[in-house]
């Protein structure tokens, strides 16, 4: 990640790589805060070294650092390659959606005249998705019955049971194996999450996904979705499998060219 603290930690490694004549390739590179301050601080470190190739995961990173490398390519996040190494298996469970949120607080869906169609109903979109406090979550059902007959499975992406489990809701899934989470996403009707790579894991497997976070790291969606980028923040949205196939192949070809 091209974040200030990260690249400062790399200085000795980059120096030794240069001294040994080792080519330095940054693959699936992206920023953290994407501020002008961060860009200036990262560039201050990187420009001291002989850098071979940059493969960014978003357009902003490409534009900010492309001139510091001998070769630069506007690539995609490597997590979009998930279907090439992971094959999901069917689960014998009732249909469900997935809630995956960084915090214990999660949104609650409310019916609205204008919103998006999902599971045969119209749900609130944009500002009509509201957050509720932990206290409220204890005393009401939250979104547990919002999707009709569809269950909600809550994943935490950690092998540790949350200390505040009573605040996190029902149907929590925890595992120390990443493939278990990927398989839950692959069998879901839709994913709702504020975590960027949870959404990537779902989108890469063709599952409709709604991103409900607030981070510039979500620029990587813009790179593969183009004009559809804003939709993913408003409703469950797909990325065409053919589009991802093409992006993966283009990146593979470009990487092969610099590795020869």
């Amino acid at each position: 990640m091209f974040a200030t603290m990260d690249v400062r930690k790399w200085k000795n490694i980059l120096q030794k790589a240069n001294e040994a004549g080792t080519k330095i390739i940054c693959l699936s590179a992206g920023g953290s805060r994407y501020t002008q301050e961060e860009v200036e601080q990262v560039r201050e470190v990187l420009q001291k070294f002989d850098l071979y190739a940059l493969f960014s995961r978003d357009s902003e990173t490409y534009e900010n650092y492309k001139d510091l490398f001998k070769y630069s390519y506007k690539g995609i996040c490597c997590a979009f390659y998930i279907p090439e190494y992971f094959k999901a298996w069917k689960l014998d469970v009732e249909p469900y959606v997935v809630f995956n949120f960084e915090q214990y607080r999660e949104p609650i869906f409310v019916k609205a005249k204008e919103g998006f169609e999902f599971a045969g109903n119209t749900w609130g979109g944009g500002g009509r998705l509201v957050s509720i406090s932990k206290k409220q979550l204890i005393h009401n059902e939250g979104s547990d019955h919002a999707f009709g007959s569809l269950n909600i499975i809550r994943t935490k992406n950690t092998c540790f049971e949350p200390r505040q489990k009573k605040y996190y809701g029902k149907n929590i899934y925890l595992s120390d194996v990443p493939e278990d989470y990927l398989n839950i996403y692959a069998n879901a009707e839709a994913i709702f999450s504020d975590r960027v790579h949870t959404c990537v894991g779902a989108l890469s497997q063709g599952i409709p996904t709604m991103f409900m976070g607030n981070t510039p790291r979500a620029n990587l969606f813009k790179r593969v979705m183009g004009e559809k980028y804003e939709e993913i923040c408003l409703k469950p949205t797909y990325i065409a499998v053919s589009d991802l196939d093409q992006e993966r192949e283009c990146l593979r070809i470009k990487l092969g060219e610099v590795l020869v």
Side-chain angles (χ1 to χ4, degrees):
M1 181 178 291
F2 284 171
T4 303
M5 294 303 297
D6 290 336
V7 295
R8 286 175 178 171
K9 292 177 181 178
W10 300 344
K11 287 193 295 185
N12 290 339
I13 296 176
L14 295 175
Q15 183 64 43
K16 290 181 179 179
N18 274 176
E19 292 172 354
T22 301
K23 293 180 178 179
I24 299 172
I25 299 176
C26 294
L27 181 62
S28 193
S32 176
R33 294 181 289 120
Y34 290 82
T35 61
Q36 186 61 36
E37 179 185 26
E38 179 182 74
V39 172
E40 292 174 355
Q41 291 173 346
V42 170
R43 287 182 60 87
E44 182 182 2
V45 175
L46 294 182
Q47 65 188 3
K48 298 177 181 179
F49 303 100
D50 181 18
L51 305 174
Y52 183 62
L54 167 69
F55 294 87
S56 67
R57 69 185 187 190
D58 56 65
S59 300
E60 289 78 6
T61 299
Y62 174 78
E63 295 297 336
N64 287 331
Y65 305 106
K66 63 182 180 180
D67 61 304
L68 300 180
F69 294 78
K70 184 177 181 180
Y71 300 101
S72 294
Y73 178 70
K74 192 185 301 182
I76 61 174
C77 179
C78 284
F80 282 113
Y81 282 85
I82 285 173
E84 297 194 8
Y85 77 84
F86 172 74
K87 301 301 179 184
W89 60 93
K90 291 293 184 181
L91 297 178
D92 185 18
V93 297
E94 295 297 322
Y96 62 89
V97 298
V98 171
F99 274 19
N100 176 259
F101 293 95
E102 182 75 19
Q103 306 298 323
Y104 289 104
R105 181 180 299 177
E106 64 182 31
I108 179 171
F109 284 81
V110 295
K111 294 291 184 65
K113 293 181 179 180
E114 296 181 1
F116 60 86
E117 294 293 325
F118 181 73
N121 293 289
T122 300
W123 303 99
R128 291 190 175 88
L129 288 172
V130 298
S131 294
I132 57 178
S133 69
K134 294 178 180 178
K135 182 177 180 180
Q136 288 174 305
L137 187 57
I138 297 172
H139 296 292
N140 66 40
E141 294 295 338
S143 296
D144 285 319
H145 300 292
F147 294 93
S149 61
L150 293 175
N151 293 319
I152 297 174
I153 294 180
R154 294 171 169 87
T155 60
K156 193 58 180 172
N157 294 24
T158 176
C159 60
F160 301 106
E161 181 177 345
R163 295 178 180 177
Q164 297 173 310
K165 183 175 180 179
K166 63 180 180 179
Y167 295 141
Y168 191 54
K170 305 173 183 177
N171 294 340
I172 305 171
Y173 183 82
L174 300 172
S175 176
D176 57 357
V177 181
E179 287 78 7
D180 287 346
Y181 293 106
L182 292 175
N183 199 63
I184 285 180
Y185 304 152
N187 285 275
E189 301 296 318
I191 310 294
F192 300 89
S193 180
D194 63 356
R195 299 178 64 113
V196 171
H197 282 88
T198 291
C199 294
V200 173
L203 289 169
S204 65
Q205 299 184 88
I207 304 302
T209 304
M210 182 173 180
F211 176 66
M212 303 176 72
N214 182 26
T215 171
R217 293 190 301 109
N219 288 336
L220 64 85
F221 297 131
K222 190 188 308 181
R223 172 63 186 85
V224 294
M225 301 184 79
E227 295 180 355
K228 292 182 64 178
Y229 166 68
E230 293 185 359
E231 293 183 18
I232 195 173
C233 299
L234 300 175
K235 63 182 181 180
T237 305
Y238 290 95
I239 296 179
V241 174
S242 58
D243 290 346
L244 287 179
D245 286 342
Q246 182 177 358
E247 290 287 359
R248 286 193 291 262
E249 185 60 20
C250 287
L251 176 55
R252 197 178 352 255
I253 291 173
K254 291 296 182 180
L255 183 59
E257 291 175 357
V258 302
L259 291 176
V260 173

